[in-house]
Every structure is written in structure tokens, then in C-alpha cells.
Amino acid sequence: MKKLWTVLLVAVLAITAGCGDGNDGKPSAASSASGEKVELHVSAAASLTDVMNEIGADYEKEHPNVKVVFNYGSSGALQQAIESGGGADLFFSAAQKQMNALEKAGLLADGTRKDLLVNEVVLIVPKDGGKDIPSFDQLARADVQRVALGEPKGVPVGQYSEEILTKLGILDAVKAKAVYGSDVRQVLTWVEGGDVDAGLVYATDAAISEKVKVTAQAPADSHKPIVYPVAILKETKQMDAAKDFLAFATNDANKKRFEQYGFEVK
């Protein structure tokens, strides 16, 4: 009989220990932290690569159970991937157009979209041995033979560039000698390598390179405002982690970090 009571007592204690977290059988925060990692997929415009890598690394230090996986590219290509079920949890776009399309399609989580950053378009040339091209209208000169632009169908900086060139009345002249990059970083790389005479990129991309020189900034009235929106995707399976990462990426410390990279914070 004593042995039977001992067995029953052990069983009761085991059941109590299994239910004692008060979460209806769900793992506690502590047990989640020590369990399998949460993988958070963030699609972000190529122009955000450097600053987002820093933010992601700092977030992982503070949240060891979360792995942040970035997918960088043109906002248009990222939009298409999301529409095709690409599995992103958050989207940082370099333009409103792509985010508007996702919102219209009902793919954004309600109440999570916000305008985050502002940028500018600048004209750059190779720092060493580059031609003297002091203004955008000079791109139409005969001796300027190759101009790098973002592909306008899917790359926001390419869309802004065409607006600028149209405003200046030189779009057709520049298109005749244009080479089109798949994102803004490809445009920057071509100018850095001297593969082209000039290129149009964001001010923040020019600021990270020691191999290019900014010769002009686009007039403010020559293109639509360059606003970077962010949102959580409706189909995310990591809503809590996505909300937490978004709050972290937009906290005061990271707003200062964006500013250090040349962005204006909304």
C-alpha cells in the first residue's frame, strides 16, 4: 500500500509540473527562448542593405531566439515575390507604388503600414578619372556615352530618374545611352568600376561609397517625394515577432542610425 501511494504521488507531481506554467499547455517565454529559433523574413529595398544589416544584427543579440533573414532587391521585384507567395513577414519598400499595390491586393496586415524614411536622387561619377558632369542636363552631352539608371519598371530609383529626366526635357537623349541596373546597388557598382560615365542613385547609396563623387542633387520639384514605407504582411506566421522587430527598427536609437546613413526619418 505504501508503495502504491508513492507511485500515485509521483504521478500527481509530474502532472502538476506539466501544467504549472499557467499557459494552458503552451510553452512559456523562457522555454520558447531556449527552444527552436523563430525565423523572421524581411524583404527590403537594396538601398537599405547596410543599415538593415546592422539593425538585424543588433536585434538578434537582444533576441537570441530570433533569426532575421533579409531578402534585398528592387522594390518591384520584392513586390512581385510577395504577390507570388514569397513568404516575407515584413516589407521595407523604397517607394509608395509597390506598397500601394500590395495594400490594394489585401496583402498587408491591418494597421501596420507606416511611412518611415525620405531619400534624394543624386548624380554620381567615378571619383578617380571620371568626367566633369556638374548637372543633370549635362547628361545629354555627346561625350557622355554611358549612363547607368535603375530599370524603371521595377526599380524605384529608375522611376524617379525618368521623372527627373522628363522634367528636364532630356529623357530621350539619355535613354539612347542608358544601361539599366536591376537595383540601385548595381547602378552604384557600375559607376564605382568606371563602367559608365555617370549614374543616378539615392543620396544614401552615394554616401557609403568612397569610389564615387556626387556632382548634383535632383531639384525637389523634379520628381515625386521619395518616401520609404514599411508594413507587416498579412500572411505572416510570426506576427508577434514581426511587430516586435518593426518596433525595434523604428525606435529612437535606430532612427538615429538611419539618419547616420543619410536618410531623413519621417
Side-chain angles (χ1 to χ4, degrees):
M1 182 64 74
K2 185 176 180 181
K3 193 174 291 187
L4 177 59
W5 278 110
T6 301
V7 171
L8 289 172
L9 180 60
V10 170
V12 170
L13 288 173
I15 293 171
T16 303
C19 299
D21 57 9
N23 289 325
D24 298 324
K26 296 179 182 178
S28 66
S31 63
S32 294
S34 62
E36 292 185 7
K37 282 192 172 184
V38 170
E39 212 170 74
L40 199 61
H41 291 260
V42 180
S43 291
S47 53
L48 292 167
T49 301
D50 301 272
V51 64
M52 291 305 297
N53 281 345
E54 286 189 13
I55 290 172
D58 283 353
Y59 186 81
E60 288 180 348
K61 289 177 184 177
E62 294 187 19
H63 303 79
N65 64 313
V66 180
K67 174 66 176 175
V68 184
V69 179
F70 288 106
N71 178 27
Y72 296 111
S74 72
S75 296
L78 296 175
Q79 171 207 334
Q80 291 177 358
I82 291 167
E83 290 173 334
S84 301
D89 297 300
L90 298 100
F91 178 37
F92 289 74
S93 176
Q96 300 282 17
K97 178 181 178 181
Q98 288 73 27
M99 195 68 80
N100 289 343
L102 295 179
E103 186 167 37
K104 187 176 181 180
L107 297 178
L108 305 185
D110 293 341
T112 64
R113 177 177 177 172
K114 63 173 68 177
D115 291 340
L116 181 59
L117 306 169
V118 176
N119 213 336
E120 300 291 343
V121 173
V122 296
L123 172 63
I124 58 172
V125 298
K127 189 173 183 178
D128 297 324
K131 293 180 179 179
D132 181 23
I133 309 174
S135 60
F136 283 80
D137 59 348
Q138 294 294 303
L139 293 171
R141 285 179 359 211
D143 66 314
V144 178
Q145 298 178 338
R146 287 168 64 84
V147 179
L149 305 173
E151 205 292 309
K153 289 184 179 179
V155 185
V157 75
Q159 295 158 9
Y160 297 125
S161 297
E162 287 210 340
E163 288 181 28
I164 295 163
L165 298 173
T166 298
K167 181 78 173 181
L168 296 173
I170 59 171
L171 178 60
D172 289 342
V174 175
K175 283 177 70 173
K177 47 188 155 187
V179 292
Y180 292 100
S182 59
D183 58 47
V184 69
R185 289 300 172 91
Q186 187 169 55
V187 174
L188 178 65
T189 298
W190 284 339
V191 180
E192 287 179 326
D195 302 307
V196 295
D197 296 315
L200 274 63
V201 299
Y202 295 123
T204 51
D205 293 290
I208 66 167
S209 176
E210 297 180 351
K211 298 179 180 179
V212 302
K213 178 172 62 176
V214 175
T215 62
Q217 181 173 310
D221 63 349
S222 63
H223 58 80
K224 294 175 184 175
I226 302 172
V227 178
Y228 285 51
V230 58
I232 297 172
L233 280 303
K234 191 173 184 177
E235 295 302 314
T236 179
K237 294 179 174 61
Q238 309 292 348
M239 182 60 75
D240 289 343
K243 286 182 177 179
D244 192 63
F245 180 79
L246 180 55
F248 180 84
T250 57
N251 66 22
D252 288 343
N254 282 316
K255 284 179 179 178
K256 290 179 181 177
R257 195 195 302 259
F258 281 119
E259 289 172 349
Q260 289 169 354
Y261 273 89
F263 291 97
E264 178 186 336
V265 178
K266 293 283 284 184

